[in-house]
Amino acid sequence: MARFHNRKKKVFVKPIVKKQQQQQPNVDHITGNKIPKSFVFSRGKLPGPLRQLQMDLRKLMLPYTALKLKEKKRNNLKDFLNVAGPMGVTHFLILSKTETSPVLRVAKTPQGPTLTFKIHEYSLAVDIAQSQLRPRCPQDLFKNPPLIVLSGFAAADEQLRLTTTMFKNIFPDIDINTVKLSSCQRIVLLNYNKDTKLIDFRHYSIRLQPVGVSRRIRKFVQNHQVPDLRNLQDVSDFVTKAGYGSESEADEEAATVTLTSDLSRVNRASTKSAVKLQEIGPRMTLQLTKIEGGLCSGEVMFSEYGNGGNKKKPGNEGNEKEDSENDGQMEDSDEDDEADNEEDMEESGED
């Protein structure tokens, strides 16, 4: 006699666990120093190219910045400052547009100082890539912060010393005894010209190539591809084929380094490799015009247009007027919208 089982089968329901977003550390576990973090945002309406420049600067400041920071018209400087404290943000990079030129402010939170730069010229990252025959941008290029190199700032001027300190502290410190060479993939170069008083801002990717190895052999080792030898008489023809056997680029002694650890299949420890820099953008030409003691306010410690900003150069009245208007706009606050603004920026900052 058949037996019927009326037992109800228990249906397994997989619980939905909300994936917690990985919190970035605030302190370097090796050096013990506080890791600087940044917000890159704008004040006022920006044209399309400057909006793209803002996104390029956010990518440059990765990984310790809010790449998807959402801005609203009602947001003011106080809103960003209220969120910066809990999130460990130490610097603001603020873009704005005057009647004559774009302006970049670099500020230390929460009490300043603030450095104001006039952007004379700039090129976007996409423009740099289009001008190159073989643009290079690996997927893991922005997983680690860039190195910072300052050139030409060794002067007795107080404003240059303050500029040097500001840019040194905007990126994390490195310990040369413990740093991994594989994490050093980008470099930011700032070169000061004392004659023109302009700063050349450049952003490069770092790559290493083994010295004395042809490009064809290097690609073969990296990609694990079986070479096509059908039209060759001997394997030596593959190595010494015209156009490839002489491509051991940059064999000069000054451009080579001896590696202390393995970086890849072709860049091994105790071997010499050539250091290559390839520009990835953005590119800017900056002029320091003003230093304020506070956060976009306070005592004017330096002004390119005279002591305290009172003296004006001919043709610069429009710049100073626009700067003062932008300062006033950033200092205004709307306390009624503070709670909503903080919530919006916290969500975007976590992204």
Side-chain angles (χ1 to χ4, degrees), residues 85-346:
M87 297 185 65
V89 175
T90 58
H91 293 83
F92 286 166
L93 277 73
I94 309 171
L95 277 173
S96 59
K97 179 71 171 65
T98 67
E99 292 182 353
T100 57
S101 64
V103 173
L104 174 65
R105 288 180 173 86
V106 181
K108 177 72 171 65
T109 63
Q111 298 178 349
T114 303
L115 278 63
T116 301
F117 298 92
K118 177 181 178 181
I119 304 178
H120 285 263
E121 297 175 345
Y122 68 92
S123 296
L124 303 177
V126 64
D127 299 328
I128 301 294
Q130 291 177 353
S131 65
Q132 297 174 349
L133 183 61
R134 295 186 181 92
R136 177 180 181 271
C137 188
Q139 295 181 353
D140 59 346
L141 187 62
F142 298 94
K143 286 186 177 181
N144 297 288
L147 307 177
I148 179 72
V149 174
L150 302 174
S151 175
F153 287 88
D157 297 337
E158 182 179 356
Q159 64 269 19
L160 292 182
R161 291 199 301 267
L162 186 57
T163 303
T164 302
T165 303
M166 177 69 78
F167 279 106
K168 278 185 178 180
N169 295 332
I170 206 171
F171 297 105
D173 297 331
I174 62 171
D175 187 352
I176 59 175
N177 297 319
T178 58
V179 65
K180 296 181 179 179
L181 295 181
S182 58
S183 65
C184 302
Q185 297 191 28
R186 294 186 293 139
I187 183 172
V188 173
L189 172 63
L190 281 81
N191 179 56
Y192 177 75
N193 190 326
K194 62 180 181 179
D195 297 327
T196 61
K197 296 184 179 181
L198 298 179
I199 301 174
D200 294 324
F201 186 101
R202 299 291 187 269
H203 184 208
Y204 298 94
S205 66
I206 304 174
R207 59 190 177 98
L208 298 177
Q209 292 182 356
V211 175
V213 179
S214 66
R215 181 172 179 267
R216 172 164 283 201
I217 292 295
R218 188 168 63 247
K219 293 295 182 182
F220 167 67
V221 176
Q222 290 176 341
N223 301 331
H224 306 274
Q225 294 179 350
V226 178
D228 185 4
L229 305 177
R230 291 176 298 177
N231 299 326
L232 303 179
Q233 298 296 328
D234 189 80
V235 69
S236 60
D237 296 337
F238 174 79
V239 179
T240 61
K241 185 178 179 180
Y244 294 97
S246 60
E247 285 195 11
S248 55
E249 302 172 358
D251 285 349
E252 297 85 358
E253 189 70 23
T256 61
V257 294
T258 301
L259 301 180
T260 58
S261 60
D262 295 341
L263 293 184
S264 62
R265 291 176 57 87
V266 294
N267 293 293
R268 314 292 287 182
S270 302
T271 61
K272 286 189 176 183
S273 296
V275 180
K276 293 287 188 176
L277 297 181
Q278 184 168 348
E279 189 172 4
I280 56 178
R283 177 194 302 180
M284 293 185 293
T285 301
L286 307 174
Q287 179 186 7
L288 180 63
T289 58
K290 186 168 60 174
I291 298 178
E292 298 168 283
L295 185 65
C296 299
S297 61
E299 178 188 1
V300 178
M301 304 170 60
F302 165 79
S303 177
E304 181 67 21
Y305 309 124
N307 295 329
N310 296 326
K311 297 181 181 180
K312 300 180 181 180
K313 287 186 177 182
N316 290 327
E317 292 82 355
N319 291 344
E320 295 189 350
K321 181 179 180 181
E322 292 292 335
D323 289 344
S324 62
E325 290 178 358
N326 290 334
D327 292 341
Q329 181 183 5
M330 287 190 287
E331 291 174 1
D332 293 337
S333 62
D334 188 2
E335 297 181 357
D336 296 336
D337 294 332
E338 281 185 10
D340 296 337
N341 296 340
E342 291 179 13
E343 184 178 355
D344 294 339
M345 286 188 289
E346 284 177 357

